[in-house]
Amino acid sequence: MTIPVLEITNLHKKFGEVEVLKGIDLTMQSGNVVSLIGSSGSGKTTLLRCVNLLEDYEDGVVAVEGEQIGYKQHKGRRIRLKEREIARQRAMTGMAFQHFNLFPHMSAIHNVMLGLIKTRKTPKDEAYAAAEGWLDRVGMKNWKDHYPGQLSGGQQQRVAIARAIAMNPVLMLFDEVTSALDPELVSEVLAVVKDLASDGMTMLLVTHEMQFAHDVSDTVVFMQDGRIGEQGPPEQLFHNPKSERLAAFLKNSKF
Amino acid sequence: MDIMQALDAIWSARWPLLDGFGNTILISAVSILLGTPLGVGVGLILSYGNRVLRFIVRLYSDFLRGTPVFVLILACFYILSIVGIQLSAFQAGVFALTLFCSSHVGEIVQGALKTIPKGQTEAAKSVGLTFFGTFFSVLLPQALRMILPTWVTTATEIVKASTLLSVIGVVELLLATQQVISRTYLSLELYFFAGLVFFLINFAIEKAGRFVERKVSLPN
Amino acid sequence: MDYDFNFAAVWRDFDILLSGLGLGLVLAVISIAIGCLIGLCLAFAMLSKKRSIRWAATVYVSVFRNTPILVLILFTFFALPEFGINLGKIESFIVTLSVYSGAYLTEVFRSGLVSLPPGLREAGLTVGLTEFRTKILITIPVMFRRVLPALGNNFISLFKDTSLAAVIAVPELTFYARKINVETFRVIETWLVASLMYVIACSIIAAILRRTENRLAIPK
């Protein structure tokens, strides 16, 4: 059996006194597309952010390709890894954010090149060529010299996705990538994500777009109160919800 | 007001006045050049330092910003010699202005770093940048652009504050002018002259600042 | 360092220092009040449709912001009498500080006015108020609340600038500090106490301003 791309076991996370993740188990194999759905405050974004250690976690294990993220066991104690190690691990996964978070002082192509040059130590000209290719992939090659301030939200998000996939991640994390966009710009971003999915990229998404989650994922996870409430193939979850909570949630989401 | 007489007085005192002008520029430039890096250090500690360090630097900065520059200059001038640090009036004045500059730059730097959205750090981390990589590639370039206008204002404030060194006997432009006044009694014309020169220096700094600002501004 | 601290001399004259601090505060309050009037007028002038008016206001701001306040103080006190304008030292200082702060406050009010939503004025007009009454009843009160933090900072730096009144022998805190310094030679004690008095006064003012801000804040 191959090593899973992502293996989360018994993940616990607290914000101060409030426990927001109360024991999550989730396994993803290469090529899987998993959507996390659930009402706000259910812990789905926090779960996503634990995978690349933008949030520390107190208990349990998050492992990407068999390597525990952020911590190691030493004489029975859990120690946080060194800054540089964590940086390297973060580069194994790619992340697209709700608010894009493009670097405003760099043109589109330099946004994509930054990680290649600084983290992967790719020579500049190679990085440029690669970045150009990735921008082309998301349909933004013609805007490569534009600054984020000159791009629409949808265009910014596509550049941000190019920036993430340029690192050749084993797993892509999408955090509500369309919820900050004007309605007419949502589809261009979703098209890019779908395209990547059909290409076999392993993806973990947090989304409010139920139809999209239905179409793109092979597993849908419904989160409630920091736990996984229900999970399964989209057909089953969307058309035959077992719990009342999920049924009510779907009804409110106008699916 | 006799303009010809005043111009005559200024012309015949051109060398001492030019000397004073040179001192004004020197005092300001040295204070800014020393105070700025010191201030960046202050800002970095206020933003990223540990608790103890932050507390000490907070005290330093608050104390300096709560004290009038004039008092700071007088205090440095009188106190330093008492505690056995023999500095000339010029050096003591520059020292005071450097401290003044550092506390202001420190606040500006801290403020700028605070306004950069958290998402910028997160995005940099997500492509695998370390703390230093994030700071130098992502945060600093953005912070510098934000800092520039206020930093230019601070520079003009320093030029203005350099006149206070006249009170402790440093012959910068104002004191040089006053020396001419004491000989010629042309106070109206000569104070006007001094004011005009200071205005021109700061006006030039402001314009230069705007120019650089436009050069480095991001398109949108 | 061989220095025996002895605060007795300074404590003996503490009430004098305190009265100096009080005078400084009074000077700052009067000056900022006049400065606000100047600033308000010029802020509207800056937004005027007439180019010449805008230009005149811009020149005023640029000139007084870029000229050292010490030069302005000396000019008003020593040179204006030549025009037949004879002011006492306190009046003279208040005039200078008001004119000086007017330039800074113009910028504060201008940016406050610009940041107001245009609908505010339009709403005033549609309910039948005249342009003038719209300004008095709506635009200015809303703008004032918005610029309160900037106004407060200006007041604090104005208060610190009152230390310069010592140069023309206005008996405020710095004046007395210099006097005690010369008379007692308790150099470190004198300047330490004087600067601490400024620092503490500034933080008290800042705290009061913050409370006022919160009280006047428009609920949301």
Side-chain angles (χ1 to χ4, degrees), chain B residues 63 65-68 70-71 74 78 82-83 157 160 163-164 167 174 178 187-188 191 198-199 202 206, chain C residues 1 3 62 65-68 70 74-75 78-79 82 100 104 160 163-164 174 178 181 187 191 195 198-199:
Chain B
F63 185 82
R65 287 181 320 124
T67 311
F70 187 39
V71 173
L74 294 174
Y78 291 117
I82 291 279
V83 299
E157 293 294 332
K160 293 199 279 178
T163 55
L164 303 179
V167 179
L174 180 58
Q178 284 175 315
S187 60
L188 179 67
Y191 276 129
F198 279 110
F199 168 74
N202 278 338
E206 235 178 32
Chain C
M1 178 177 123
Y3 191 88
S62 181
R65 282 180 66 135
N66 283 325
T67 310
L70 182 55
L74 296 173
F75 184 86
F78 290 111
E82 289 195 30
Y100 185 71
Y104 281 84
K160 289 191 286 176
S163 62
L164 293 171
T174 307
R178 285 177 88 185
N181 179 31
V187 178
W191 292 109
S195 22
Y198 276 111
V199 171

Side-chain angles (χ1 to χ4, degrees), chain A residues 49 83 101-103 105 119 147, chain B residues 119-120 122 127-128 131 137 219:
Chain A
R49 290 163 60 88
E83 164 85 22
N101 297 345
L102 285 181
F103 307 127
H105 59 300
T119 310
Y147 282 78
Chain B
Q120 289 293 310
E122 292 181 351
V127 291
F131 175 80
S137 301

Side-chain angles (χ1 to χ4, degrees), chain A residues 108-117 120-141 144 158-159 161-169:
Chain A
I109 193 153
H110 281 100
N111 262 281
V112 181
M113 287 163 65
L114 183 71
L116 294 174
I117 294 173
R120 296 269 188 261
K121 310 290 177 205
T122 315
K124 271 217 173 95
D125 46 342
E126 252 175 71
Y128 190 93
E132 205 171 26
W134 289 114
L135 284 174
D136 196 21
R137 179 71 196 273
V138 298
M140 288 298 295
K141 190 178 167 188
K144 65 177 179 194
R158 280 146 68 194
V159 174
I161 292 172
R163 175 176 70 184
I165 55 177
M167 300 296 288
N168 221 350

Side-chain angles (χ1 to χ4, degrees), chain A residues 52-121:
Chain A
N52 64 355
L53 214 71
L54 286 182
E55 302 289 355
D56 292 346
Y57 53 93
E58 279 86 41
D59 203 5
V61 174
V62 175
V64 174
E65 297 220 298
E67 186 179 338
Q68 183 177 359
I69 296 296
Y71 303 92
K72 64 178 174 189
Q73 305 297 329
H74 183 71
K75 291 180 186 160
R77 281 179 50 202
R78 208 173 75 125
I79 332 173
R80 203 169 193 273
L81 293 175
K82 292 238 163 55
E83 164 85 22
R84 192 162 286 278
E85 268 301 284
I86 291 174
R88 181 188 61 77
Q89 291 186 333
R90 283 200 179 107
M92 293 165 70
T93 57
M95 186 171 202
F97 299 84
Q98 182 178 358
H99 296 287
F100 338 130
N101 297 345
L102 285 181
F103 307 127
H105 59 300
M106 298 177 184
S107 61
I109 193 153
H110 281 100
N111 262 281
V112 181
M113 287 163 65
L114 183 71
L116 294 174
I117 294 173
K118 297 286 174 192
T119 310
R120 296 269 188 261
K121 310 290 177 205

